[in-house]
């Protein structure tokens, strides 16, 4: 098996070498290419996607939920998690408008309070490292959040370093419009998917039933979480 990940993110080329990425004794991912590189390969090969027949994706991981799709936009990871948490806790869908609207959009720092049966959940969303710093300053000053989502790239992965290059002809504000357009397109696309919450995705359910035991199991915690340590912004010279 040779695993190729297609990513919006140049940082993933570094991450495949993280020590925990060989749990089976083999590297989990062999090669990372960016969406921009894939697009160039498609063009070089002369493929016209519009003329190719549609096919189902292979399993496992062939079924994508809307919750997975919105991971690409700032606020999307947090919204995806809340769709599941809110429904499990209240038996109802996370309401839109209301909560969901406060999690979306290109404001650098968004905050919301979500009413749950046992009290409020306070959340914060930041994109771009300047805004990440603002969240950290709030936490240092004593503010408490139950859930913080930080995406390194402005707009989230839709504006990732490996994505097709954004035009800056309209300046920084104009580039944010492009990111917003990309985010809008994934929110539109996810509305038509048969599954919009991670816990409804049949392949996620099967993964827990047959391999990870149950949500929050020891195995799930070990395999689905990571930790970070301070490191230099520049790779060390050999
Ligand atoms: S936000 Fe940027 S740095 Fe973070 S995963 Fe997405 S593309 Fe990579």
């Amino acid at each position: 098996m040779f695993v190729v990940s297609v990513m919006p993110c140049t940082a993933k080329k570094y991450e495949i070498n993280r020590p925990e990425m060989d749990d089976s004794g083999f590297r989990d991912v062999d090669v990372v290419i960016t969406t921009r590189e894939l697009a160039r390969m498609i063009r070089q090969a002369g493929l016209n996607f519009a003329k190719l027949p549609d096919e189902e994706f292979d399993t496992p991981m062939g079924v994508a939920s809307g919750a997975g799709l919105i991971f690409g936009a700032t606020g999307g990871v947090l919204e995806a998690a809340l769709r599941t948490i809110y429904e499990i806790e209240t038996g109802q869908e996370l309401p839109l408008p209301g909560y969901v609207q406060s999690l979306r959009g290109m404001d650098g720092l968004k905050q919301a309070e979500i009413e749950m049966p046992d009290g409020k959940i306070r959340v914060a969303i930041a994109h771009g490292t300047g805004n990440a710093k603002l969240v950290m300053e709030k936490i240092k000053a004593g503010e408490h959040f139950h859930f913080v989502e930080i995406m390194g790239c402005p707009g989230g992965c839709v504006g990732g370093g490996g994505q097709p290059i954004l035009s800056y002809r309209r300046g920084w504000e104009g580039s944010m419009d492009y990111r917003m357009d990309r985010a809008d397109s994934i929110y539109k696309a996810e509305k038509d998917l048969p599954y919009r919450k991670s816990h409804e995705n049949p392949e996620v359910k099967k993964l827990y039933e047959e391999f990870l035991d149950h949500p929050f199991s020891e195995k799930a915690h070990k395999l689905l979480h990571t930790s970070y340590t301070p490191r230099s912004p520049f790779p060390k010279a050999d």
Side-chain angles (χ1 to χ4, degrees), residues 15 47 88 126 136 140 145 181 202 215 218 225:
E15 287 183 358
L47 291 174
I88 288 172
M136 287 191 276
K140 270 193 206 157
F145 298 103
D181 288 348
E218 207 181 314
H225 294 79

Side-chain angles (χ1 to χ4, degrees), residues 8-12 150-153 156-162:
C9 183
T10 45
K12 300 290 182 283
I150 290 177
M151 295 207 187
C153 299
C157 301
V158 289

Side-chain angles (χ1 to χ4, degrees), residues 65-81 83 100 103-104 149 151 155 157-158 183 186-191 193 196:
S65 68
L69 194 50
I70 64 172
F71 266 46
T74 170
V77 173
L78 198 141
E79 181 181 331
R83 283 182 188 182
V100 170
L103 309 174
R104 294 186 186 176
E149 179 207 283
M151 295 207 187
C157 301
V158 289
I186 59 176
Y187 285 116
K188 273 189 203 122
E190 73 101 10
K191 273 190 187 161
L193 290 177
R196 296 190 61 224

Side-chain angles (χ1 to χ4, degrees), residues 89-148:
E89 288 291 314
T90 67
Q92 291 171 351
E93 286 202 350
L94 189 67
L96 176 105
Y99 294 144
V100 170
Q101 274 172 346
S102 63
L103 309 174
R104 294 186 186 176
M106 289 293 150
D107 287 349
L109 175 58
K110 289 166 280 185
Q111 287 181 224
E113 290 189 349
I114 317 291
E115 292 281 356
M116 294 282 192
D118 294 334
K120 283 180 185 162
I121 290 187
R122 297 196 77 228
V123 301
I125 299 163
H127 58 114
T129 44
N131 295 315
K133 192 171 175 210
L134 296 179
V135 179
M136 287 191 276
E137 279 165 1
K138 278 173 176 273
I139 293 169
K140 270 193 206 157
E143 264 197 73
H144 179 72
F145 298 103
H146 298 91
F147 191 162
V148 176

Side-chain angles (χ1 to χ4, degrees), residues 195-213:
Y195 306 104
R196 296 190 61 224
K197 300 158 213 153
S198 314
H199 63 282
E200 290 176 345
N201 185 327
E203 296 204 350
V204 172
K205 286 202 240 179
K206 198 168 173 203
L207 180 69
Y208 274 101
E209 280 161 19
E210 295 183 6
F211 182 65
L212 293 174
D213 302 331

Side-chain angles (χ1 to χ4, degrees), residues 8-9 36 72-74 106 127 151-166 168 172 175-176 178-180 182-183:
C9 183
R36 187 161 71 239
T74 170
M106 289 293 150
H127 58 114
M151 295 207 187
C153 299
C157 301
V158 289
Q163 294 275 43
I165 291 169
L166 290 159
Y168 281 79
W172 174 252
S175 91
M176 289 309 288
Y178 285 114
R179 291 167 215 259
M180 192 68 226
R182 288 180 181 175

